[in-house]
Every structure is written in C-alpha cells, then in structure tokens.
C-alpha cells in the first residue's frame, strides 16, 4: 500500500508539473528603447510642437524645419519656367516689332557711317596723291572705312536674324533640330 500511495503521489506531482501556468505575466524589468528618426532635408529646426514623452499617432507633426532655402529653390525653379515660357513665346510669335525697328535703325546708321568713311577715304587719297596729306592720314581713312563696313555687316546680320522668322522661305530652308 505504501508503494501504491507513492506511485499515486508521483503521478499527481508529474501531472501538476505538466500544467501550463502561462497567464501573460513576465517577470523582470521592462525597458523601452528610444526611437530616433532622420529628416528628409538638412535644415534648421524651427519648432518642436510635441514635447518629449508625449504620446503621438501617425500623422502628428513632430518637428518643423526652416523653409527659407527650399522656398528659394522653388522660386528659382518658377523663374526658370517663366523664362523658358517667354523664350518659347518669342520663338512661336517671332521678334517684337520694336526690336526689328531698332535693328533696322542700326543698319541705317551703319550705312551712313560707311558712306561718310568712303568719302573721307576718297578725300584722303586725293590729298595724298597731290602730296597735301601724309600717308598715315590715308591709312586712318582706310581703317575707318573698313570699320564702318564691318559695322554695317554686323547690323545687317542682326537685322536678318530678327526678320528670318518672318520670311516663310527662310523657315522652309531651316533644318529641324
């Protein structure tokens, strides 16, 4: 009997040892880690609307950064877009009539200078031929005439550039880029 009592007692102890006594309790110290996050921009912190230790939820603003640099970048991009739009408009509509008129006036002025320089050259050549003037005066007249001719060529090219878009024949000759 002692033996059967011992066997029964052993079985009861074995069954008690096999019970699952897990009711969600944990023993020890519970520590939490500090969570750090990084910013998407390297800017100066202007405001911390949430105090440290406060509960936050998704979508809460934790930090306000200085926006001056990003606003400057945005303003520059907007200005570049406006500049490109104005350039496209000029290419589409052609040059302003005022610019064309100014270029035409430059051509007229250059023609007048060339006429005067050619007359001065003729006078200087005649005076040198008669030995009433030096060769250097004739050389100055030649240089002045050549400069006036170059200015006229430059003014004509500028005028041609401004009026090229108005000429349908020129548009047909231009190769697409």
């Amino acid at each position: 009997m002692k033996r059967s009592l011992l066997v029964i007692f052993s079985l009861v102890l074995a069954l008690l040892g096999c019970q699952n006594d897990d009711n969600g309790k944990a023993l020890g110290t519970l520590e939490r880690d500090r969570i750090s996050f990084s910013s998407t921009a390297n800017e100066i912190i202007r405001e911390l609307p949430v105090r440290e230790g406060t509960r936050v939820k998704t979508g809460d603003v934790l930090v306000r950064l200085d926006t001056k640099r990003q606003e400057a970048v945005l303003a520059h991009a907007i200005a570049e877009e406006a500049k490109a739009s104005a350039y496209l408009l000029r290419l589409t509509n052609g040059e302003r009539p005022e610019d064309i008129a100014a270029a035409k006036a430059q051509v007229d002025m250059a023609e007048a200078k060339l006429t005067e320089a050619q007359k001065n050259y003729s006078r200087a050549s005649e005076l040198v031929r008669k030995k009433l003037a030096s060769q250097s005066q004739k050389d100055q007249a030649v240089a002045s005439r050549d400069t006036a001719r170059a200015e006229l060529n430059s003014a004509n090219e500028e005028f041609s550039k401004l009026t090229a878009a108005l000429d349908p024949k020129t548009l047909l000759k231009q190769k697409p880029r």
Side-chain angles (χ1 to χ4, degrees), residues 59-80:
D60 286 352
V61 175
L62 304 178
V63 175
R64 290 193 201 285
L65 302 176
D66 188 13
T67 60
K68 289 179 184 174
R69 190 180 314 165
Q70 294 302 318
E71 288 171 354
V73 168
L74 176 63
H76 180 72
I78 290 171
E80 286 294 321

Side-chain angles (χ1 to χ4, degrees), residues 91-107:
L91 288 176
T92 305
N93 295 339
E95 296 295 329
R96 295 183 351 193
E98 296 87 2
D99 294 336
I100 294 172
K104 179 64 176 145
Q106 289 292 327
V107 169

Side-chain angles (χ1 to χ4, degrees), residues 9-10 27-28 38 57 70 95 107 110 113-114 117 121 127 168 170:
F9 184 68
S10 307
L27 300 176
S38 61
K57 59 183 182 277
Q70 294 302 318
E95 296 295 329
V107 169
K113 283 184 180 180
L114 179 59
Y121 170 71
L127 290 174
T170 309

Side-chain angles (χ1 to χ4, degrees), residues 117 121 136-150:
Y121 170 71
S136 67
Q137 288 175 329
K138 180 181 175 185
D139 293 341
Q140 286 176 348
V142 169
S144 179
R145 181 196 63 190
D146 292 345
T147 301
R149 188 175 290 140

Side-chain angles (χ1 to χ4, degrees), residues 162-173:
L162 294 178
T163 57
L166 302 176
D167 185 13
K169 293 177 185 175
T170 309
L171 287 175
L172 293 175
K173 291 179 185 176

Side-chain angles (χ1 to χ4, degrees), residues 39 41-47 63-67 69:
S39 173
N42 188 16
E43 297 293 336
I44 297 171
I45 295 174
R46 289 293 174 199
E47 183 184 353
V63 175
R64 290 193 201 285
L65 302 176
D66 188 13
T67 60
R69 190 180 314 165

